[in-house]
Amino acid sequence: MYDNPTVLTIAGSDSGGGAGIQADLKTIAMLGGFGASVITALTAQNTMAVTGIHPVPPDFVVQQLTAVLSDLRVRAVKTGMLFSGEIIRAVAAGLANRDFPLVVDPVCVAQSGARLLEESAVTEMVRHLFPITDLLTPNIPEAELFTGLTLKSAQDICEAAERLLAMGPKAVLIKGGHMDSPASTDWYVTPGQKPLPLMQSRVDTKNLHGTGCTLSAAIAAHLGLGHDMLTSVRKAQLYLHAALRSSYSVGKGGGSPNHAVPLLKERARLGTLDELAETGRLLSQLPRFAKLIPEVRSNLVLALPYASTAQDIAAFSGRITCTRRGEVILAGGPEFGASSHMARVLLAARKFNPRLTCSLNIACNDETLAALKRTGMTCASFDRALEPADGLGREGGTMDWGTQAALEASSTPRNTDAVVDMGGMGKEPMIRLMALDTKELMVKVRRILDLL
């Protein structure tokens, strides 16, 4: 039987559903845990503002905590909005003798700017909660508040992390989302070890409400599943990144991450494999399609919704090949992760147009290039001779670099139909068609075949 570990969240309630207890329980459930909760405050809020806060009496916070711990086998716990010094002292006392990890998200201010921690409670958190914390997860403003430093550089962040470690936590994760930088870097620090930068690409979205809650809850969930601290942090980062990329607005202000993204991807897996198989069958029946198959053979890849890795992209495990007579053979069945190279091509192209879902590689020769040009489709190309030395020999390196270089040089990167790889020493030239869906891909292939 699958073990759903109980993960406890101690935080405030968000009536808008994007942060606090609501975000935590969604996250824990999506990652395979059983969420339990202790509510520290009720808030009246939506995507635009917090209009009211009603703290729970500390003795009732204790009553909730006692009820949970006396019956449920808790594997990990996180704290969020604790609001007052009295509640902080009560929670710290209730968790002092636990035998499971504690993640503390020192929530001070909401995304809307509303203060969620009384000024007098800052000292109480440092004095009573930090010393029993396994991981502290402040953002930049919170780290500045607790250390008195102004954080403008990586060196500042490392100094702040050391000061925070001196306050008692076993590990500190300073979240870098507030820094003005191309990438979002979280800094993971433990005593006696060099700070470890954990980088993620930034997601262009205004739906950032509850990101801190979601990340700390995801870390706690992975700890509950038995992962070590650093692994839990990395897995939580990936979850939050995917949830941000798939976020959508639910109100007039900034929405929250899409906590259901693992469920949405899982639900789409079987349909994606079926669609890939059917599209492969249709390709194999096209007259003269064998003329488009290169010496290294073709492959067709199709992405899950919100795909982020090669394991989210399906392909034919044995590629698409043909006989001398022109008979097309789909070698192997559709599988996720079956084509690292083509998956990397599609993932690189999706950075410019996230709506792309599929790609097919075809032969690149005078005939196919001429036919491609006559269709009027938009093409971009790259020359392997220009690849930086640090990319050579790395698995998939040329696929990433080449696709990105071609699209960066294009005047219409979001609307590029094909990327032309000019080949190189021992590397066959290739055309890689891109499409929003399999129907559009079939149309592009037919147009090329009609002009051959």
PDB file of all heavy atoms in Angstrom, residues 47-82:
ATOM      1  N   THR A  47      -7.102  38.558  -4.373  1.00  0.00           N
ATOM      2  CA  THR A  47      -5.878  38.714  -5.151  1.00  0.00           C
ATOM      3  C   THR A  47      -5.307  40.127  -5.097  1.00  0.00           C
ATOM      4  O   THR A  47      -4.181  40.363  -5.539  1.00  0.00           O
ATOM      5  CB  THR A  47      -6.124  38.352  -6.629  1.00  0.00           C
ATOM      6  OG1 THR A  47      -7.105  39.239  -7.178  1.00  0.00           O
ATOM      7  CG2 THR A  47      -6.604  36.919  -6.768  1.00  0.00           C
ATOM      8  N   MET A  48      -6.080  41.077  -4.522  1.00  0.00           N
ATOM      9  CA  MET A  48      -5.630  42.464  -4.511  1.00  0.00           C
ATOM     10  C   MET A  48      -5.183  42.961  -3.142  1.00  0.00           C
ATOM     11  O   MET A  48      -4.286  43.793  -3.051  1.00  0.00           O
ATOM     12  CB  MET A  48      -6.740  43.373  -5.041  1.00  0.00           C
ATOM     13  CG  MET A  48      -7.096  43.126  -6.501  1.00  0.00           C
ATOM     14  SD  MET A  48      -8.325  44.292  -7.133  1.00  0.00           S
ATOM     15  CE  MET A  48      -9.759  43.774  -6.188  1.00  0.00           C
ATOM     16  N   ALA A  49      -5.796  42.458  -2.067  1.00  0.00           N
ATOM     17  CA  ALA A  49      -5.482  43.041  -0.766  1.00  0.00           C
ATOM     18  C   ALA A  49      -5.911  42.139   0.372  1.00  0.00           C
ATOM     19  O   ALA A  49      -6.791  41.278   0.221  1.00  0.00           O
ATOM     20  CB  ALA A  49      -6.159  44.407  -0.627  1.00  0.00           C
ATOM     21  N   VAL A  50      -5.268  42.358   1.530  1.00  0.00           N
ATOM     22  CA  VAL A  50      -5.708  41.777   2.798  1.00  0.00           C
ATOM     23  C   VAL A  50      -6.518  42.863   3.503  1.00  0.00           C
ATOM     24  O   VAL A  50      -5.989  43.920   3.840  1.00  0.00           O
ATOM     25  CB  VAL A  50      -4.519  41.351   3.679  1.00  0.00           C
ATOM     26  CG1 VAL A  50      -5.015  40.794   5.010  1.00  0.00           C
ATOM     27  CG2 VAL A  50      -3.669  40.312   2.957  1.00  0.00           C
ATOM     28  N   THR A  51      -7.790  42.614   3.713  1.00  0.00           N
ATOM     29  CA  THR A  51      -8.658  43.642   4.299  1.00  0.00           C
ATOM     30  C   THR A  51      -8.948  43.409   5.773  1.00  0.00           C
ATOM     31  O   THR A  51      -9.547  44.264   6.423  1.00  0.00           O
ATOM     32  CB  THR A  51      -9.988  43.715   3.527  1.00  0.00           C
ATOM     33  OG1 THR A  51     -10.631  42.426   3.563  1.00  0.00           O
ATOM     34  CG2 THR A  51      -9.749  44.115   2.078  1.00  0.00           C
ATOM     35  N   GLY A  52      -8.530  42.262   6.296  1.00  0.00           N
ATOM     36  CA  GLY A  52      -8.748  42.016   7.719  1.00  0.00           C
ATOM     37  C   GLY A  52      -8.007  40.792   8.209  1.00  0.00           C
ATOM     38  O   GLY A  52      -7.800  39.843   7.450  1.00  0.00           O
ATOM     39  N   ILE A  53      -7.570  40.840   9.475  1.00  0.00           N
ATOM     40  CA  ILE A  53      -6.892  39.703  10.103  1.00  0.00           C
ATOM     41  C   ILE A  53      -7.522  39.456  11.466  1.00  0.00           C
ATOM     42  O   ILE A  53      -7.674  40.374  12.270  1.00  0.00           O
ATOM     43  CB  ILE A  53      -5.384  39.969  10.280  1.00  0.00           C
ATOM     44  CG1 ILE A  53      -4.702  40.180   8.926  1.00  0.00           C
ATOM     45  CG2 ILE A  53      -4.717  38.808  11.022  1.00  0.00           C
ATOM     46  CD1 ILE A  53      -3.230  40.553   9.026  1.00  0.00           C
ATOM     47  N   HIS A  54      -7.896  38.217  11.711  1.00  0.00           N
ATOM     48  CA  HIS A  54      -8.483  37.837  12.996  1.00  0.00           C
ATOM     49  C   HIS A  54      -7.642  36.711  13.590  1.00  0.00           C
ATOM     50  O   HIS A  54      -7.786  35.546  13.215  1.00  0.00           O
ATOM     51  CB  HIS A  54      -9.927  37.371  12.804  1.00  0.00           C
ATOM     52  CG  HIS A  54     -10.605  36.989  14.087  1.00  0.00           C
ATOM     53  ND1 HIS A  54     -10.942  37.906  15.055  1.00  0.00           N
ATOM     54  CD2 HIS A  54     -11.015  35.781  14.554  1.00  0.00           C
ATOM     55  CE1 HIS A  54     -11.520  37.283  16.064  1.00  0.00           C
ATOM     56  NE2 HIS A  54     -11.582  35.985  15.781  1.00  0.00           N
ATOM     57  N   PRO A  55      -6.722  37.030  14.515  1.00  0.00           N
ATOM     58  CA  PRO A  55      -5.847  35.991  15.065  1.00  0.00           C
ATOM     59  C   PRO A  55      -6.618  34.995  15.931  1.00  0.00           C
ATOM     60  O   PRO A  55      -7.591  35.353  16.599  1.00  0.00           O
ATOM     61  CB  PRO A  55      -4.831  36.789  15.888  1.00  0.00           C
ATOM     62  CG  PRO A  55      -5.518  38.065  16.219  1.00  0.00           C
ATOM     63  CD  PRO A  55      -6.421  38.369  15.064  1.00  0.00           C
ATOM     64  N   VAL A  56      -6.166  33.758  15.915  1.00  0.00           N
ATOM     65  CA  VAL A  56      -6.745  32.708  16.756  1.00  0.00           C
ATOM     66  C   VAL A  56      -6.102  32.810  18.150  1.00  0.00           C
ATOM     67  O   VAL A  56      -4.892  32.998  18.251  1.00  0.00           O
ATOM     68  CB  VAL A  56      -6.476  31.324  16.131  1.00  0.00           C
ATOM     69  CG1 VAL A  56      -6.934  30.203  17.058  1.00  0.00           C
ATOM     70  CG2 VAL A  56      -7.158  31.221  14.769  1.00  0.00           C
ATOM     71  N   PRO A  57      -6.875  32.701  19.212  1.00  0.00           N
ATOM     72  CA  PRO A  57      -6.274  32.752  20.553  1.00  0.00           C
ATOM     73  C   PRO A  57      -5.176  31.696  20.703  1.00  0.00           C
ATOM     74  O   PRO A  57      -5.345  30.550  20.251  1.00  0.00           O
ATOM     75  CB  PRO A  57      -7.463  32.457  21.474  1.00  0.00           C
ATOM     76  CG  PRO A  57      -8.660  32.899  20.692  1.00  0.00           C
ATOM     77  CD  PRO A  57      -8.336  32.581  19.266  1.00  0.00           C
ATOM     78  N   PRO A  58      -4.046  32.051  21.326  1.00  0.00           N
ATOM     79  CA  PRO A  58      -2.927  31.110  21.441  1.00  0.00           C
ATOM     80  C   PRO A  58      -3.299  29.783  22.080  1.00  0.00           C
ATOM     81  O   PRO A  58      -2.789  28.732  21.666  1.00  0.00           O
ATOM     82  CB  PRO A  58      -1.923  31.882  22.306  1.00  0.00           C
ATOM     83  CG  PRO A  58      -2.226  33.313  22.029  1.00  0.00           C
ATOM     84  CD  PRO A  58      -3.712  33.380  21.841  1.00  0.00           C
ATOM     85  N   ASP A  59      -4.209  29.796  23.081  1.00  0.00           N
ATOM     86  CA  ASP A  59      -4.562  28.534  23.726  1.00  0.00           C
ATOM     87  C   ASP A  59      -5.321  27.614  22.769  1.00  0.00           C
ATOM     88  O   ASP A  59      -5.227  26.387  22.850  1.00  0.00           O
ATOM     89  CB  ASP A  59      -5.369  28.774  25.003  1.00  0.00           C
ATOM     90  CG  ASP A  59      -6.652  29.550  24.766  1.00  0.00           C
ATOM     91  OD1 ASP A  59      -6.802  30.152  23.683  1.00  0.00           O
ATOM     92  OD2 ASP A  59      -7.509  29.557  25.672  1.00  0.00           O
ATOM     93  N   PHE A  60      -6.055  28.195  21.817  1.00  0.00           N
ATOM     94  CA  PHE A  60      -6.752  27.356  20.847  1.00  0.00           C
ATOM     95  C   PHE A  60      -5.797  26.858  19.770  1.00  0.00           C
ATOM     96  O   PHE A  60      -5.991  25.771  19.228  1.00  0.00           O
ATOM     97  CB  PHE A  60      -7.926  28.106  20.210  1.00  0.00           C
ATOM     98  CG  PHE A  60      -8.855  27.200  19.445  1.00  0.00           C
ATOM     99  CD1 PHE A  60      -9.679  26.311  20.118  1.00  0.00           C
ATOM    100  CD2 PHE A  60      -8.873  27.200  18.061  1.00  0.00           C
ATOM    101  CE1 PHE A  60     -10.525  25.450  19.414  1.00  0.00           C
ATOM    102  CE2 PHE A  60      -9.708  26.352  17.354  1.00  0.00           C
ATOM    103  CZ  PHE A  60     -10.532  25.471  18.039  1.00  0.00           C
ATOM    104  N   VAL A  61      -4.760  27.629  19.458  1.00  0.00           N
ATOM    105  CA  VAL A  61      -3.704  27.140  18.569  1.00  0.00           C
ATOM    106  C   VAL A  61      -3.069  25.908  19.189  1.00  0.00           C
ATOM    107  O   VAL A  61      -2.855  24.883  18.519  1.00  0.00           O
ATOM    108  CB  VAL A  61      -2.636  28.229  18.323  1.00  0.00           C
ATOM    109  CG1 VAL A  61      -1.453  27.643  17.554  1.00  0.00           C
ATOM    110  CG2 VAL A  61      -3.225  29.401  17.544  1.00  0.00           C
ATOM    111  N   VAL A  62      -2.777  25.977  20.486  1.00  0.00           N
ATOM    112  CA  VAL A  62      -2.195  24.844  21.206  1.00  0.00           C
ATOM    113  C   VAL A  62      -3.156  23.654  21.187  1.00  0.00           C
ATOM    114  O   VAL A  62      -2.740  22.501  21.009  1.00  0.00           O
ATOM    115  CB  VAL A  62      -1.848  25.232  22.647  1.00  0.00           C
ATOM    116  CG1 VAL A  62      -1.427  24.004  23.453  1.00  0.00           C
ATOM    117  CG2 VAL A  62      -0.758  26.286  22.669  1.00  0.00           C
ATOM    118  N   GLN A  63      -4.446  23.932  21.360  1.00  0.00           N
ATOM    119  CA  GLN A  63      -5.433  22.843  21.365  1.00  0.00           C
ATOM    120  C   GLN A  63      -5.458  22.128  20.017  1.00  0.00           C
ATOM    121  O   GLN A  63      -5.533  20.890  19.949  1.00  0.00           O
ATOM    122  CB  GLN A  63      -6.819  23.409  21.700  1.00  0.00           C
ATOM    123  CG  GLN A  63      -7.871  22.338  21.975  1.00  0.00           C
ATOM    124  CD  GLN A  63      -9.180  22.932  22.475  1.00  0.00           C
ATOM    125  OE1 GLN A  63      -9.236  24.095  22.888  1.00  0.00           O
ATOM    126  NE2 GLN A  63     -10.236  22.134  22.443  1.00  0.00           N
ATOM    127  N   GLN A  64      -5.385  22.894  18.927  1.00  0.00           N
ATOM    128  CA  GLN A  64      -5.329  22.275  17.599  1.00  0.00           C
ATOM    129  C   GLN A  64      -4.072  21.426  17.443  1.00  0.00           C
ATOM    130  O   GLN A  64      -4.115  20.288  16.955  1.00  0.00           O
ATOM    131  CB  GLN A  64      -5.323  23.355  16.510  1.00  0.00           C
ATOM    132  CG  GLN A  64      -6.567  24.182  16.385  1.00  0.00           C
ATOM    133  CD  GLN A  64      -6.371  25.262  15.321  1.00  0.00           C
ATOM    134  OE1 GLN A  64      -6.379  24.986  14.119  1.00  0.00           O
ATOM    135  NE2 GLN A  64      -6.188  26.503  15.765  1.00  0.00           N
ATOM    136  N   LEU A  65      -2.937  21.993  17.853  1.00  0.00           N
ATOM    137  CA  LEU A  65      -1.656  21.298  17.694  1.00  0.00           C
ATOM    138  C   LEU A  65      -1.634  20.015  18.512  1.00  0.00           C
ATOM    139  O   LEU A  65      -1.185  18.962  18.031  1.00  0.00           O
ATOM    140  CB  LEU A  65      -0.513  22.225  18.114  1.00  0.00           C
ATOM    141  CG  LEU A  65       0.914  21.690  17.955  1.00  0.00           C
ATOM    142  CD1 LEU A  65       1.193  21.293  16.512  1.00  0.00           C
ATOM    143  CD2 LEU A  65       1.920  22.738  18.434  1.00  0.00           C
ATOM    144  N   THR A  66      -2.130  20.086  19.726  1.00  0.00           N
ATOM    145  CA  THR A  66      -2.170  18.903  20.595  1.00  0.00           C
ATOM    146  C   THR A  66      -3.061  17.814  20.000  1.00  0.00           C
ATOM    147  O   THR A  66      -2.724  16.625  20.026  1.00  0.00           O
ATOM    148  CB  THR A  66      -2.673  19.287  21.996  1.00  0.00           C
ATOM    149  OG1 THR A  66      -1.812  20.280  22.553  1.00  0.00           O
ATOM    150  CG2 THR A  66      -2.710  18.075  22.907  1.00  0.00           C
ATOM    151  N   ALA A  67      -4.193  18.229  19.440  1.00  0.00           N
ATOM    152  CA  ALA A  67      -5.126  17.263  18.850  1.00  0.00           C
ATOM    153  C   ALA A  67      -4.471  16.517  17.693  1.00  0.00           C
ATOM    154  O   ALA A  67      -4.619  15.294  17.568  1.00  0.00           O
ATOM    155  CB  ALA A  67      -6.385  17.984  18.379  1.00  0.00           C
ATOM    156  N   VAL A  68      -3.741  17.238  16.861  1.00  0.00           N
ATOM    157  CA  VAL A  68      -3.097  16.602  15.710  1.00  0.00           C
ATOM    158  C   VAL A  68      -1.978  15.667  16.157  1.00  0.00           C
ATOM    159  O   VAL A  68      -1.910  14.499  15.761  1.00  0.00           O
ATOM    160  CB  VAL A  68      -2.552  17.669  14.739  1.00  0.00           C
ATOM    161  CG1 VAL A  68      -1.717  17.007  13.643  1.00  0.00           C
ATOM    162  CG2 VAL A  68      -3.694  18.463  14.113  1.00  0.00           C
ATOM    163  N   LEU A  69      -1.077  16.187  16.998  1.00  0.00           N
ATOM    164  CA  LEU A  69       0.108  15.404  17.369  1.00  0.00           C
ATOM    165  C   LEU A  69      -0.220  14.202  18.251  1.00  0.00           C
ATOM    166  O   LEU A  69       0.537  13.227  18.275  1.00  0.00           O
ATOM    167  CB  LEU A  69       1.122  16.302  18.090  1.00  0.00           C
ATOM    168  CG  LEU A  69       1.710  17.446  17.251  1.00  0.00           C
ATOM    169  CD1 LEU A  69       2.720  18.235  18.072  1.00  0.00           C
ATOM    170  CD2 LEU A  69       2.352  16.916  15.983  1.00  0.00           C
ATOM    171  N   SER A  70      -1.338  14.255  18.966  1.00  0.00           N
ATOM    172  CA  SER A  70      -1.694  13.142  19.847  1.00  0.00           C
ATOM    173  C   SER A  70      -2.293  11.964  19.087  1.00  0.00           C
ATOM    174  O   SER A  70      -2.426  10.871  19.641  1.00  0.00           O
ATOM    175  CB  SER A  70      -2.688  13.617  20.915  1.00  0.00           C
ATOM    176  OG  SER A  70      -3.925  14.009  20.316  1.00  0.00           O
ATOM    177  N   ASP A  71      -2.627  12.167  17.822  1.00  0.00           N
ATOM    178  CA  ASP A  71      -3.300  11.106  17.071  1.00  0.00           C
ATOM    179  C   ASP A  71      -2.609  10.782  15.752  1.00  0.00           C
ATOM    180  O   ASP A  71      -2.378   9.609  15.439  1.00  0.00           O
ATOM    181  CB  ASP A  71      -4.752  11.526  16.806  1.00  0.00           C
ATOM    182  CG  ASP A  71      -5.529  10.486  16.020  1.00  0.00           C
ATOM    183  OD1 ASP A  71      -5.331   9.276  16.281  1.00  0.00           O
ATOM    184  OD2 ASP A  71      -6.327  10.851  15.156  1.00  0.00           O
ATOM    185  N   LEU A  72      -2.242  11.791  14.988  1.00  0.00           N
ATOM    186  CA  LEU A  72      -1.656  11.567  13.664  1.00  0.00           C
ATOM    187  C   LEU A  72      -0.144  11.390  13.764  1.00  0.00           C
ATOM    188  O   LEU A  72       0.506  12.045  14.582  1.00  0.00           O
ATOM    189  CB  LEU A  72      -1.962  12.739  12.726  1.00  0.00           C
ATOM    190  CG  LEU A  72      -3.365  12.784  12.106  1.00  0.00           C
ATOM    191  CD1 LEU A  72      -4.436  12.974  13.165  1.00  0.00           C
ATOM    192  CD2 LEU A  72      -3.446  13.905  11.076  1.00  0.00           C
ATOM    193  N   ARG A  73       0.379  10.514  12.925  1.00  0.00           N
ATOM    194  CA  ARG A  73       1.818  10.318  12.870  1.00  0.00           C
ATOM    195  C   ARG A  73       2.416  11.322  11.881  1.00  0.00           C
ATOM    196  O   ARG A  73       2.524  11.067  10.690  1.00  0.00           O
ATOM    197  CB  ARG A  73       2.149   8.894  12.439  1.00  0.00           C
ATOM    198  CG  ARG A  73       3.653   8.593  12.467  1.00  0.00           C
ATOM    199  CD  ARG A  73       3.955   7.249  11.843  1.00  0.00           C
ATOM    200  NE  ARG A  73       5.401   7.043  11.719  1.00  0.00           N
ATOM    201  CZ  ARG A  73       5.961   6.110  10.975  1.00  0.00           C
ATOM    202  NH1 ARG A  73       5.188   5.274  10.278  1.00  0.00           N
ATOM    203  NH2 ARG A  73       7.262   5.995  10.911  1.00  0.00           N
ATOM    204  N   VAL A  74       2.807  12.458  12.377  1.00  0.00           N
ATOM    205  CA  VAL A  74       3.320  13.534  11.536  1.00  0.00           C
ATOM    206  C   VAL A  74       4.756  13.223  11.113  1.00  0.00           C
ATOM    207  O   VAL A  74       5.595  12.842  11.939  1.00  0.00           O
ATOM    208  CB  VAL A  74       3.252  14.880  12.288  1.00  0.00           C
ATOM    209  CG1 VAL A  74       3.913  15.986  11.473  1.00  0.00           C
ATOM    210  CG2 VAL A  74       1.797  15.237  12.594  1.00  0.00           C
ATOM    211  N   ARG A  75       5.053  13.402   9.819  1.00  0.00           N
ATOM    212  CA  ARG A  75       6.393  13.129   9.282  1.00  0.00           C
ATOM    213  C   ARG A  75       7.199  14.405   9.053  1.00  0.00           C
ATOM    214  O   ARG A  75       8.419  14.362   8.950  1.00  0.00           O
ATOM    215  CB  ARG A  75       6.277  12.389   7.955  1.00  0.00           C
ATOM    216  CG  ARG A  75       5.537  11.051   8.049  1.00  0.00           C
ATOM    217  CD  ARG A  75       6.431   9.950   8.573  1.00  0.00           C
ATOM    218  NE  ARG A  75       5.748   8.667   8.489  1.00  0.00           N
ATOM    219  CZ  ARG A  75       5.703   7.908   7.407  1.00  0.00           C
ATOM    220  NH1 ARG A  75       6.295   8.305   6.290  1.00  0.00           N
ATOM    221  NH2 ARG A  75       5.072   6.754   7.408  1.00  0.00           N
ATOM    222  N   ALA A  76       6.509  15.537   8.921  1.00  0.00           N
ATOM    223  CA  ALA A  76       7.182  16.820   8.721  1.00  0.00           C
ATOM    224  C   ALA A  76       6.181  17.927   9.018  1.00  0.00           C
ATOM    225  O   ALA A  76       4.964  17.723   8.946  1.00  0.00           O
ATOM    226  CB  ALA A  76       7.713  16.955   7.299  1.00  0.00           C
ATOM    227  N   VAL A  77       6.703  19.113   9.326  1.00  0.00           N
ATOM    228  CA  VAL A  77       5.839  20.247   9.645  1.00  0.00           C
ATOM    229  C   VAL A  77       6.448  21.515   9.073  1.00  0.00           C
ATOM    230  O   VAL A  77       7.667  21.640   8.968  1.00  0.00           O
ATOM    231  CB  VAL A  77       5.633  20.386  11.172  1.00  0.00           C
ATOM    232  CG1 VAL A  77       6.963  20.620  11.877  1.00  0.00           C
ATOM    233  CG2 VAL A  77       4.653  21.512  11.505  1.00  0.00           C
ATOM    234  N   LYS A  78       5.594  22.422   8.685  1.00  0.00           N
ATOM    235  CA  LYS A  78       6.036  23.748   8.259  1.00  0.00           C
ATOM    236  C   LYS A  78       5.201  24.791   8.983  1.00  0.00           C
ATOM    237  O   LYS A  78       4.042  24.548   9.343  1.00  0.00           O
ATOM    238  CB  LYS A  78       5.908  23.937   6.759  1.00  0.00           C
ATOM    239  CG  LYS A  78       4.474  23.940   6.228  1.00  0.00           C
ATOM    240  CD  LYS A  78       4.279  24.909   5.071  1.00  0.00           C
ATOM    241  CE  LYS A  78       4.302  26.355   5.540  1.00  0.00           C
ATOM    242  NZ  LYS A  78       3.958  27.318   4.452  1.00  0.00           N
ATOM    243  N   THR A  79       5.801  25.946   9.195  1.00  0.00           N
ATOM    244  CA  THR A  79       5.050  27.068   9.737  1.00  0.00           C
ATOM    245  C   THR A  79       5.045  28.189   8.713  1.00  0.00           C
ATOM    246  O   THR A  79       5.984  28.367   7.942  1.00  0.00           O
ATOM    247  CB  THR A  79       5.650  27.590  11.052  1.00  0.00           C
ATOM    248  OG1 THR A  79       6.944  28.149  10.802  1.00  0.00           O
ATOM    249  CG2 THR A  79       5.759  26.476  12.079  1.00  0.00           C
ATOM    250  N   GLY A  80       3.950  28.938   8.723  1.00  0.00           N
ATOM    251  CA  GLY A  80       3.827  30.107   7.865  1.00  0.00           C
ATOM    252  C   GLY A  80       3.498  31.317   8.712  1.00  0.00           C
ATOM    253  O   GLY A  80       4.240  31.667   9.628  1.00  0.00           O
ATOM    254  N   MET A  81       2.374  31.929   8.447  1.00  0.00           N
ATOM    255  CA  MET A  81       1.953  33.108   9.208  1.00  0.00           C
ATOM    256  C   MET A  81       1.638  32.726  10.653  1.00  0.00           C
ATOM    257  O   MET A  81       0.712  31.964  10.924  1.00  0.00           O
ATOM    258  CB  MET A  81       0.721  33.716   8.546  1.00  0.00           C
ATOM    259  CG  MET A  81       0.099  34.866   9.318  1.00  0.00           C
ATOM    260  SD  MET A  81      -1.484  35.356   8.604  1.00  0.00           S
ATOM    261  CE  MET A  81      -1.950  36.663   9.728  1.00  0.00           C
ATOM    262  N   LEU A  82       2.393  33.289  11.591  1.00  0.00           N
ATOM    263  CA  LEU A  82       2.170  33.017  13.020  1.00  0.00           C
ATOM    264  C   LEU A  82       1.664  34.253  13.754  1.00  0.00           C
ATOM    265  O   LEU A  82       1.156  34.137  14.878  1.00  0.00           O
ATOM    266  CB  LEU A  82       3.469  32.511  13.662  1.00  0.00           C
ATOM    267  CG  LEU A  82       3.997  31.199  13.087  1.00  0.00           C
ATOM    268  CD1 LEU A  82       5.310  30.800  13.753  1.00  0.00           C
ATOM    269  CD2 LEU A  82       2.964  30.083  13.234  1.00  0.00           C
TER     270      LEU A  82
END
